[in-house]
Amino acid sequence: EFRRVLFRSEFGSGVKKGGKKLSDIDRVPAFWPDHPTVRTDLLDYAYEVESFDAHLGRMLAALEQRGLLDHTLVIVTSDHGTWRYGKTTLYEGGLKVPLVMRWPSGIRPGLNYPHLVLNTDYAATLLDLAGADR
């Protein structure tokens, strides 16, 4: 049996629940074999991302309905997941993870910070924003 790239509990959810097809994947990263199991994992991951995006949209809409959206710091980040050549490597997948912050009354929109950032860097900033003594 071919070893899966991701270890999701619901193998095939991208096809079964997301209505996706293996042919929807236009390319497989060069460091993985182009195999139906890998393509299925990629579709499952895409379905997970789309599901997360929908939940985030509902959370932002709820903040907006309450008049809190522009005054709330929203941080969206992730980890490397279980991707091969992800965690603990110097491959691109081991260095890059998503990080988006939204806070119109505190962060200039469209700001792009091109340098490496560690999740541990957030603590001091968040404590400062909260007015905590250090």
Side-chain angles (χ1 to χ4, degrees):
E1 179 179 312
F2 188 81
R3 184 178 156 207
R4 296 181 58 207
V5 175
L6 291 177
F7 301 100
R8 296 273 179 233
S9 59
E10 290 189 59
F11 181 73
S13 60
V15 172
K16 294 174 198 165
K17 296 179 181 179
K20 301 185 180 307
K21 303 179 298 287
L22 292 183
S23 60
D24 291 341
I25 301 293
D26 60 350
R27 70 175 186 81
V28 173
F31 49 81
W32 290 331
D34 190 347
H35 187 276
T37 302
V38 173
R39 286 177 172 268
T40 300
D41 274 339
L42 291 169
L43 292 175
D44 292 350
Y45 180 73
Y47 175 70
E48 298 273 340
V49 170
E50 290 169 358
S51 181
F52 172 81
D53 186 57
H55 287 294
L56 179 61
R58 287 193 289 276
M59 288 185 275
L60 294 174
L63 286 168
E64 187 172 36
Q65 288 171 354
R66 291 169 177 79
L68 300 171
L69 183 59
D70 288 343
H71 306 291
T72 301
L73 172 59
V74 177
I75 301 173
V76 178
T77 189
S78 182
D79 68 2
H80 302 91
T82 56
W83 295 100
R84 182 186 300 173
Y85 301 115
K87 292 179 182 180
T88 70
T89 73
L90 294 178
Y91 290 97
E92 183 175 350
L95 292 175
K96 292 185 176 182
V97 295
L99 170 63
V100 176
M101 295 186 183
R102 182 190 190 279
W103 186 28
S105 63
I107 299 174
R108 183 171 39 94
L111 181 66
N112 183 359
Y113 187 78
H115 307 288
L116 286 174
V117 176
L118 300 175
N119 286 346
T120 55
D121 293 334
Y122 309 154
T125 300
L126 296 175
L127 288 169
D128 285 345
L129 292 173
D133 291 329
R134 288 198 274 155

